[in-house]
Amino acid sequence: MATDAADAAAPTSRLDRLDTRTRVIVAVALVLTLVSLRSWVLLSAAIVLGLLLTGFAGIPARQTLRRLLHVEGFLLILFVALPLTTRLPPFLEIGPLALSLPGLERAVTLALRITAAALVVLPLISDLTPIRLGHALGRLGLPPRLVQVFLFSIRYIELLRAEARRLHDAMRLRGFAPRTNLHTLKSYGHFIGQLLVRAIERAERVNEAMRCRGFAGRFPLVTLERFGTADVGVAGLTVLLAAAALLLDRL
Amino acid sequence: MTALLDLSGIRIRRSGRLVLDQVDLQLETGERLALAGANGAGKTTLLRTIVGLETPEAGEIIAFGRHRHDEDDFRDLRLRVGFLFQDSDDQLFAPTVIEDVAFGPLNLGFTPSQAIERAQAVLTDLDLLPLERRVTHHLSGGEKRLVALAGVLAMDPDVLLLDEPTNALDEAHLARLTTILAELPVAMILVSHDAHFLATLSTRAVLLENGRLMPAVAHRHQHRHDHVHFHPIEETD
Amino acid sequence: MTALLDLSGIRIRRSGRLVLDQVDLQLETGERLALAGANGAGKTTLLRTIVGLETPEAGEIIAFGRHRHDEDDFRDLRLRVGFLFQDSDDQLFAPTVIEDVAFGPLNLGFTPSQAIERAQAVLTDLDLLPLERRVTHHLSGGEKRLVALAGVLAMDPDVLLLDEPTNALDEAHLARLTTILAELPVAMILVSHDAHFLATLSTRAVLLENGRLMPAVAHRHQHRHDHVHFHPIEETD
Amino acid sequence: MAHIPDGVLSLPVLAAGTLAGVGGLALGIRRLTDRDIPRTALLAAVFFIASSQAFSLGPTSVHLLLGGLTGLVLGWKAFPAIFVGLLLQTLLFGFGGLTTLGVDLVNMALPGVLLAAVVRPFIRVDRPARSAAFTGGAAALAVVITAVLVGVEIALSEPAFAPALGVMAAAYLPLAGIEAAVTAFVTLYLLKVKPEMIVAPAVLGTAI
Ligand SMILES: Nc1ncnc2c1ncn2[C@@H]1O[C@H](COP(=O)(O)OP(=O)(O)OP(=O)(O)O)[C@@H](O)[C@H]1O
Ligand SMILES: Nc1ncnc2c1ncn2[C@@H]1O[C@H](COP(=O)(O)OP(=O)(O)OP(=O)(O)O)[C@@H](O)[C@H]1O
Ligand SMILES: [Mg+2]
Ligand SMILES: [Mg+2]
């Protein structure tokens, strides 16, 4: 009965056969490998691998694109500023701006690396539901209290959104429209404060109601997942890939 | 004289289910309309539609002689229609009673001191002035209900929508609320499961059933009936 | 035969104010005790104390023959005492109705399929089976109330604490609830502002006033009174 | 912008950050009792929702970090709360990275926790204006320190970036202003309604 609205809505991926723990650990291992790579060829190969994996997992292209856009957004500021401002030898000078070749080179490396990392991580974890991840974290040995906080906060997100919606309705009904004045700022302050207080009290009462129905403070972490042959295979493959990539990179 | 509110052919679906179907509703000046209906009939949904919190699939809303379609229209409408929520906790959000009641007038463009003055006037009318400095969050259920009503009345609305105003009120508070509402010269729609409260106040009634709204009458069975109070045993005769 | 619940000398302070002072309360097998009192009198606080959600400054709680002090004692107690909260939104937290009702049985150690079966049986009893797959936070106010009650009854409690169970219920559901409760062979404490509901069901009454609990009787004024229903106009004679 | 994606930081920086993050988490979890779980989880949810709701500010859009507020309400327990919030963001939105979780956690939790500890003794129910000024200032400073931490970490990983970081840090200043205002008003609200949420118990005792 560990189902959840979020769980029910989750698409199933072909990677579902793997234990969630394997997926998390493989993702971390692959990213750590990528961070150590400098060769553009290897990084490009990793991007191709990531794309293949994304295809295999059946992740819609739109989702992939959205994810990449977000990551590259981070890069954009650096990318614009970097080749222009770095103190490395200049490559091209336009007035006060000096475009430097090594700067550009590093920026490209970084772009490749970030893209590859995003593409590798996406198929491995993006379709995991929060509840599943919570259970996997518990089985990976994270402290039970931390796992409890994680599982509870998933439930509270919807609760909080509903409270926020109702409060916002109430404000609109009394003619509130945001403007740039003190009344607006103050109203938002009250809104957030009220939301916090209400939500905390609500959360505590929900927790009490659960305890009143025999809840002993622990979600049973039942799962049907097993660490099976597929997991051993994938883990082995990951180690081989990482070792090979690191070796080739040093050549 | 046209109706204050005129809804026609309203159809609303909520999470896929048809809740209101072909609903027509008029509210005239000075009317106190009882809106009856079973649990889940769609009474709250209908009130929310009037102030533009729900978007109908079909139908027309005319209020104060103007068609209302988009958020801008409804923003204007909400300045003249006061809505008391089914749950007062959803409605009160300023830290103190006086700030909460003054919130509406501030949105109407009153200066802070005018808004406070207006709020105090309303609190005085409702006999709530002693609560002025209290923290809204620490009021009892009945007090919250009355303060929420004050917040709505402070905007001097032309129409009141009251969603189960009697919920959780004890007998003394209930009597007080009934008196206040009976004296207000404002058109209103009353939702309540307390048939007696509705019959006492309303000038006309409609019943919501199977997504349809139909005219209704309060059907009174005149019969012997007990009126029950609880008294400590010592006090009993 | 000892009392199921036996509270003595309970004193509770909430945010500094003394809410309950020297409260004694017994509940015997088969009793249906009405707990009356004005808004803010401390009725909810008293029920919360019984299940260990409030910690008294002074006093003793004995339940089912055992002293109850710490969280462990109360955890055990809560498996036998069902508490219907005043606000159903606090009580419903599983995504769908059936999951919510099955939550208690699961905590009692039922297997998932037994729990579902038990939940369905209770929903059938309350005539709520059509709601089974609905999302709990999309229910109407009255529907939420009934589903919350189903969740409590699914645990097959020995004692029921019902905090304003009639709130937001329409007349049909109110009648149904009254019948169900009248037939349940379980001791219960009933809080409600509906004096009539209390008088109909209860076998004994107490009144909470100024932090003190005193025995009370339902005082009935026999007088002519209307019983009001709303009917569509077509159906009226 | 405070979320660093996978692949930017070098291994030594990642290792140091992760270690510090785990340390903070351990401290926070040690203080986490059964009763604290709902409150902590709720602030994790607040943190998550605040950061998923970007509002536009001039040409760019920003979202609140709420590090200062979280630190005020939770103290060291802000670490588990923010960790959970970050984990959910990675999972549901793809904000930030998986390997950078520890670093991001330190960036967002540490300034708030430390500054809150500094200003908490000055928060008093009977001095609302002063208290709000302190918490607002702490919130703004927490944002700036977060920005500086992000900058230093990137510069250590990729020295070539160092000069670009001034530009980035400047982008945080408006956000610092907004966080200060919001935190100050929330402080005023909480002092009136539920002071025990942000006032040190000893101070509360003397003030009431
Ligand atoms: N937020 C929501 N999302 C989806 N469906 C909803 C939502 N709220 C209510 N509903 C559904 O819409 C229908 C009408 O609900 P509404 O709240 O309008 O009823 P009501 O007449 O006010 O009932 P009550 O007397 O119990 O308050 C119900 O079937 C309910 O399940
Ligand atoms: N969470 C809280 N924190 C502090 N004080 C509270 C809290 N809840 C209630 N109180 C106070 O405790 C007193 C008793 O409240 P309680 O909710 O027990 O009353 P009640 O008899 O159930 O009233 P009602 O009929 O309105 O539900 C009230 O004065 C109230 O202001
Ligand atoms: Mg309703
Ligand atoms: Mg109560």
Side-chain angles (χ1 to χ4, degrees):
Chain A
M1 281 291 286
T3 49
D4 185 280
D7 265 2
T12 47
S13 136
R14 275 193 238 174
L15 293 172
D16 266 352
R17 257 168 277 160
L18 292 181
D19 189 317
T20 310
R21 291 177 295 181
T22 313
R23 294 166 63 170
V24 172
I25 291 174
V26 164
V28 171
L30 287 178
V31 172
L32 289 179
T33 310
L34 285 175
V35 174
S36 321
L37 296 184
R38 301 208 153 266
S39 148
W40 287 11
V41 177
L42 285 173
L43 287 170
S44 305
I47 292 181
V48 173
L49 180 78
L51 282 173
L52 287 176
L53 214 54
T54 317
F56 178 74
I59 296 193
R62 276 183 73 213
Q63 193 187 345
T64 313
L65 217 67
R66 212 175 45 210
R67 174 67 165 265
L68 281 180
L69 274 179
H70 182 83
V71 173
E72 308 299 345
F74 181 89
L75 211 56
L76 204 62
I77 297 186
L78 292 184
F79 224 155
V80 171
L82 172 81
L84 302 176
T85 57
T86 180
R87 270 181 245 101
L88 295 167
F91 151 68
L92 189 77
E93 291 190 40
I94 312 162
L97 297 176
L99 203 55
S100 92
L101 193 54
L104 199 64
E105 221 175 87
R106 281 183 200 181
V108 170
T109 310
L110 202 68
L112 288 175
R113 207 186 267 158
I114 290 182
T115 310
L119 283 174
V120 167
V121 170
L122 182 70
L124 281 168
I125 68 160
S126 75
D127 69 311
L128 287 179
T129 61
I131 300 270
R132 248 182 102 173
L133 183 68
H135 286 198
L137 293 177
R139 294 193 303 137
L140 276 170
L142 258 72
R145 280 182 204 291
L146 189 60
V147 177
Q148 292 299 317
V149 171
F150 185 83
L151 292 174
F152 269 112
S153 70
I154 296 166
R155 284 167 198 274
Y156 292 157
I157 285 172
E158 192 43 46
L159 190 99
L160 205 63
R161 288 215 168 113
E163 301 267 5
R165 219 174 297 129
R166 287 196 290 252
L167 266 180
H168 191 236
D169 280 352
M171 287 170 76
R172 278 158 65 199
L173 283 182
R174 286 207 269 159
F176 178 75
R179 289 183 201 91
T180 36
N181 57 18
L182 194 67
H183 172 61
T184 301
L185 257 182
K186 198 168 158 184
S187 299
Y188 274 130
H190 289 169
F191 174 78
I192 295 180
Q194 167 76 344
L195 193 60
L196 260 177
V197 170
R198 275 169 59 82
I200 279 189
E201 292 185 350
R202 171 88 67 190
E204 279 164 1
R205 289 194 307 264
V206 168
N207 182 252
E208 286 170 358
M210 293 171 73
R211 278 155 58 206
C212 281
R213 288 207 274 156
F215 179 66
R218 303 263 173 280
F219 287 106
L221 295 181
V222 283
T223 175
L224 298 173
E225 291 183 2
R226 293 273 173 282
F227 191 80
T229 35
D231 296 285
V232 177
V234 168
L237 202 66
T238 308
V239 172
L240 277 179
L241 252 176
L246 289 174
L247 218 78
L248 283 174
D249 193 60
R250 297 288 172 270
L251 289 181
Chain B
M1 177 83 212
T2 60
L4 292 174
L5 299 180
D6 187 348
L7 280 72
S8 50
I10 299 291
R11 183 163 65 223
I12 299 254
R13 208 176 279 280
R14 285 186 93 166
S15 35
R17 290 187 341 97
L18 202 62
V19 174
L20 300 182
D21 189 19
Q22 286 292 114
V23 165
D24 300 324
L25 176 86
Q26 278 83 36
L27 185 74
E28 309 280 346
T29 315
E31 261 193 320
R32 285 198 290 266
L33 179 65
L35 173 55
N39 284 136
K43 304 179 294 298
T44 301
T45 306
L46 181 55
L47 296 189
R48 288 171 57 83
T49 308
I50 295 175
V51 291
L53 294 178
E54 301 286 338
T55 314
E57 269 182 20
E60 280 282 335
I61 301 177
I62 303 176
F64 312 113
R66 274 181 46 196
H67 282 261
R68 310 286 170 163
H69 292 289
D70 52 28
E71 181 66 15
D72 272 345
D73 300 335
F74 284 110
R75 225 195 306 277
D76 169 76
L77 176 153
R78 288 179 201 133
L79 299 178
R80 302 181 59 185
V81 176
F83 188 168
L84 188 74
F85 277 28
Q86 191 161 352
D87 183 351
S88 318
D89 275 321
D90 291 336
Q91 192 146 13
L92 301 173
F93 76 102
T96 62
V97 169
I98 186 81
E99 281 172 287
D100 201 90
V101 179
F103 177 72
L106 280 173
N107 291 327
L108 289 176
F110 285 46
T111 67
S113 69
Q114 286 171 331
I116 297 280
E117 207 172 293
R118 171 97 192 107
Q120 283 173 333
V122 174
L123 286 173
T124 311
D125 277 355
L126 298 190
D127 223 0
L128 296 176
L129 207 56
L131 298 183
E132 185 184 15
R133 304 258 139 230
R134 291 276 292 281
V135 172
T136 49
H137 202 73
H138 293 169
L139 299 173
S140 86
E143 291 165 340
K144 277 185 188 163
R145 207 94 196 107
L146 293 170
V147 170
L149 182 65
V152 169
L153 292 180
M155 297 185 70
D156 199 7
D158 296 319
V159 173
L160 272 179
L161 309 180
L162 305 175
D163 199 354
E164 310 207 11
T166 61
N167 243 359
L169 287 191
D170 62 28
E171 211 162 310
H173 280 116
L174 177 60
R176 174 99 164 276
L177 181 72
T178 310
T179 319
I180 291 168
L181 292 182
E183 285 168 6
L184 274 182
V186 172
M188 55 184 85
I189 300 181
L190 295 159
V191 172
S192 174
H193 292 298
D194 183 339
H196 210 269
F197 171 80
L198 286 186
T200 309
L201 278 176
S202 65
T203 58
R204 181 163 72 95
V206 286
L207 179 69
L208 199 51
E209 216 173 62
N210 302 322
R212 297 266 176 168
L213 198 65
M214 36 205 152
V217 286
H219 190 92
R220 289 153 192 264
H221 305 275
Q222 289 282 349
H223 61 175
R224 290 196 80 83
H225 202 78
D226 336 326
H227 186 64
V228 187
H229 291 285
F230 284 89
H231 288 299
I233 280 181
E234 290 79 358
E235 289 180 28
T236 330
D237 39 331
Chain C
M1 177 84 217
T2 60
L4 294 174
L5 300 180
D6 188 348
L7 281 71
S8 50
I10 299 290
R11 183 164 64 225
I12 300 255
R13 208 178 279 279
R14 286 186 91 166
S15 36
R17 291 191 335 103
L18 201 62
V19 175
L20 300 182
D21 190 18
Q22 286 290 116
V23 165
D24 299 325
L25 175 85
Q26 279 82 37
L27 186 74
E28 310 281 347
T29 315
E31 258 192 325
R32 285 197 290 266
L33 178 67
L35 174 56
N39 285 133
K43 305 178 295 296
T44 300
T45 306
L46 181 55
L47 297 189
R48 288 169 54 84
T49 309
I50 297 175
V51 291
L53 296 177
E54 298 286 335
T55 313
E57 269 183 21
E60 279 282 338
I61 300 176
I62 303 176
F64 311 113
R66 275 180 46 195
H67 282 262
R68 310 286 171 163
H69 293 290
D70 53 25
E71 181 68 13
D72 273 344
D73 299 335
F74 283 110
R75 223 191 313 271
D76 169 74
L77 176 151
R78 288 179 203 132
L79 298 178
R80 301 180 59 185
V81 176
F83 185 0
L84 185 75
F85 278 39
Q86 186 162 356
D87 184 348
S88 317
D89 278 321
D90 295 337
Q91 193 145 11
L92 301 175
F93 62 93
T96 64
V97 168
I98 186 81
E99 282 172 280
D100 201 275
V101 179
F103 176 76
L106 279 175
N107 289 327
L108 289 176
F110 284 44
T111 67
S113 67
Q114 287 170 328
I116 297 280
E117 209 171 294
R118 171 95 192 109
Q120 283 172 334
V122 174
L123 287 174
T124 310
D125 276 356
L126 297 187
D127 223 359
L128 297 176
L129 209 56
L131 297 183
E132 186 184 15
R133 305 255 139 232
R134 296 276 293 278
V135 174
T136 47
H137 60 258
H138 289 172
L139 297 173
S140 84
E143 292 165 339
K144 281 184 186 163
R145 203 85 203 113
L146 294 166
V147 171
L149 181 67
V152 169
L153 292 180
M155 298 186 68
D156 201 9
D158 295 321
V159 172
L160 271 179
L161 310 180
L162 304 175
D163 199 352
E164 311 208 10
T166 60
N167 248 357
L169 286 192
D170 62 30
E171 208 161 309
H173 280 119
L174 177 59
R176 186 159 184 83
L177 179 73
T178 311
T179 319
I180 291 167
L181 293 181
E183 284 169 5
L184 273 182
V186 171
M188 56 185 84
I189 301 183
L190 295 159
V191 172
S192 173
H193 292 297
D194 183 340
H196 211 267
F197 170 81
L198 286 186
T200 308
L201 277 176
S202 65
T203 58
R204 183 165 72 92
V206 287
L207 179 70
L208 199 53
E209 215 172 62
N210 301 323
R212 297 264 176 170
L213 198 64
M214 35 204 150
V217 287
H219 189 89
R220 288 152 193 265
H221 305 276
Q222 289 283 349
H223 61 176
R224 291 196 77 81
H225 203 79
D226 337 323
H227 186 63
V228 186
H229 291 283
F230 284 89
H231 287 295
I233 280 181
E234 291 79 358
E235 288 180 31
T236 330
D237 38 332
Chain D
M1 279 319 290
H3 302 69
I4 305 176
D6 282 320
V8 174
L9 299 178
S10 66
L11 283 177
V13 173
L14 278 180
T18 305
L19 217 63
V22 169
L25 257 183
L27 274 176
I29 293 171
R30 186 129 44 91
R31 287 167 165 75
L32 198 64
T33 67
D34 268 344
R35 287 199 89 90
D36 293 325
I37 286 180
R39 174 172 299 212
T40 310
L42 197 105
L43 272 133
V46 169
F47 176 83
F48 171 83
I49 290 177
S51 57
S52 66
Q53 246 124 56
F55 51 95
S56 53
L57 180 78
T60 60
S61 80
V62 296
H63 62 75
L64 296 175
L65 294 175
L66 298 184
L69 190 62
T70 314
L72 269 173
V73 177
L74 293 178
W76 283 99
K77 295 189 285 288
F79 271 85
I82 292 181
F83 176 75
V84 164
L86 288 171
L87 206 56
L88 283 169
Q89 282 167 1
T90 309
L91 191 67
L92 299 178
F93 301 145
F95 284 7
L98 202 57
T99 52
T100 51
L101 268 177
V103 176
D104 285 342
L105 174 60
V106 171
N107 293 346
M108 296 198 213
L110 193 63
V113 170
L114 294 181
L115 287 167
V118 170
V119 299
R120 192 172 290 115
F122 300 100
I123 302 176
R124 294 181 48 151
V125 178
D126 52 352
R127 303 288 302 275
R130 190 188 70 167
S131 308
F134 270 107
T135 60
L141 201 55
V143 172
V144 173
I145 296 178
T146 298
V148 169
L149 284 175
V150 172
V152 167
E153 284 151 6
I154 293 178
L156 282 175
S157 301
E158 192 64 70
F161 280 137
L165 296 171
V167 184
M168 267 183 80
Y172 279 89
L173 285 178
L175 178 62
I178 292 177
E179 288 240 357
V182 167
T183 307
F185 277 116
V186 173
T187 302
L188 286 177
Y189 188 91
L190 293 179
L191 283 177
K192 275 187 202 160
V193 174
K194 210 168 160 75
E196 65 270 26
M197 266 177 70
I198 50 167
V199 176
V203 181
L204 185 71
T206 57
I208 284 186

